[in-house]
Amino acid sequence: AQSVTQLDSHVSVSEGTPVLLRCNYSSSYSPSLFWYVQHPNKGLQLLLKYTSAATLVKGINGFEAEFKKSETSFHLTKPSAHMSDAAEYFCVVSDPGGSQGNLIFGKGTKLSVKP
Amino acid sequence: EAQVTQNPRYLITVTGKKLTVTCSQNMNHEYMSWYRQDPGLGLRQIYYSMNVEVTDKGDVPEGYKVSRKEKRNFPLILESPSPNQTSLYFCASRTGSSEQYFGPGTRLTVT
């Protein structure tokens, strides 16, 4: 069975400092992995996705994530946080064949950015 | 414009009064899903559909029904809503192993 664990429920950084949001997954297959962002009172927006091509994936707004199979991790990073990055972030794993059409969501990490 | 639409966006209702939340996508996607989002629990899948007339239960299907009579529409039906179904609901669609495209959400309150 697939699962995804976001290791921190809340991360707080200062503006201009690096961001690291951690995600570990469990999958019997070669998974597709995604990061979504949800700003307050908004819907979900795709940040980036990994689908077995390059292991370092670049997304929107300066975010990137690295797929590490040996560590079963897919951590999200950004070199320099901006106030507008304050939001909730979800790591998501998908079964590769899409046979169930199901995505497994992590419980989310709320990112706060201090001035 | 490619999008997933949901209606209504906000709904306050009373226990036991049947309601339907509509979902429509204009991208010809095969897969459609309903999720509920609750604080500290992330998004949990209620039902999904792999194509017309093909639906299956997700992780939290109790108290919900769905139908997929047309490819573009995937309504969520609460036959007898209860307060524990107060939540934020998202409809989503995708094709193959692509990312999910989410609707804007429906905030439901059951009193």
Side-chain angles (χ1 to χ4, degrees), chain A residues 88-111:
Chain A
E88 190 157 20
Y89 293 79
F90 294 95
C91 182
V92 183
V93 64
S94 168
D95 68 274
S99 59
Q100 288 190 326
N102 193 7
L103 299 183
I104 309 295
F105 280 75
K107 289 184 165 51
T109 298
K110 192 161 288 188
L111 175 66

Side-chain angles (χ1 to χ4, degrees), chain B residues 38-49:
Chain B
D38 302 289
L41 297 177
L43 273 79
R44 295 177 292 168
Q45 193 183 55
I46 302 169
Y47 269 94
Y48 63 92
S49 169

Side-chain angles (χ1 to χ4, degrees), chain B residues 21-110:
Chain B
V21 184
T22 64
C23 172
S24 183
Q25 50 95 3
N26 62 1
M27 295 168 279
N28 203 36
H29 286 169
E30 301 88 22
Y31 296 103
M32 296 187 75
S33 298
W34 275 103
Y35 296 87
R36 62 177 289 173
Q37 184 180 21
D38 302 289
L41 297 177
L43 273 79
R44 295 177 292 168
Q45 193 183 55
I46 302 169
Y47 269 94
Y48 63 92
S49 169
M50 288 179 280
N51 217 319
V52 176
E53 302 291 4
V54 182
T55 63
D56 208 347
K57 297 176 181 178
D59 300 315
V60 288
E62 294 77 21
Y64 304 94
K65 283 175 57 176
V66 293
S67 68
R68 187 94 182 271
K69 292 184 170 50
E70 306 164 281
K71 199 171 187 179
R72 63 183 292 126
N73 296 323
F74 191 46
L76 179 70
I77 303 155
L78 285 72
E79 296 268 5
S80 183
S82 62
N84 65 10
Q85 292 177 297
T86 292
S87 188
L88 179 59
Y89 291 86
F90 288 101
C91 180
S93 73
R94 69 181 177 97
T95 183
S97 60
S98 76
E99 71 268 24
Q100 294 268 23
Y101 291 80
F102 285 89
T106 295
R107 189 168 291 281
L108 173 65
T109 302
V110 183

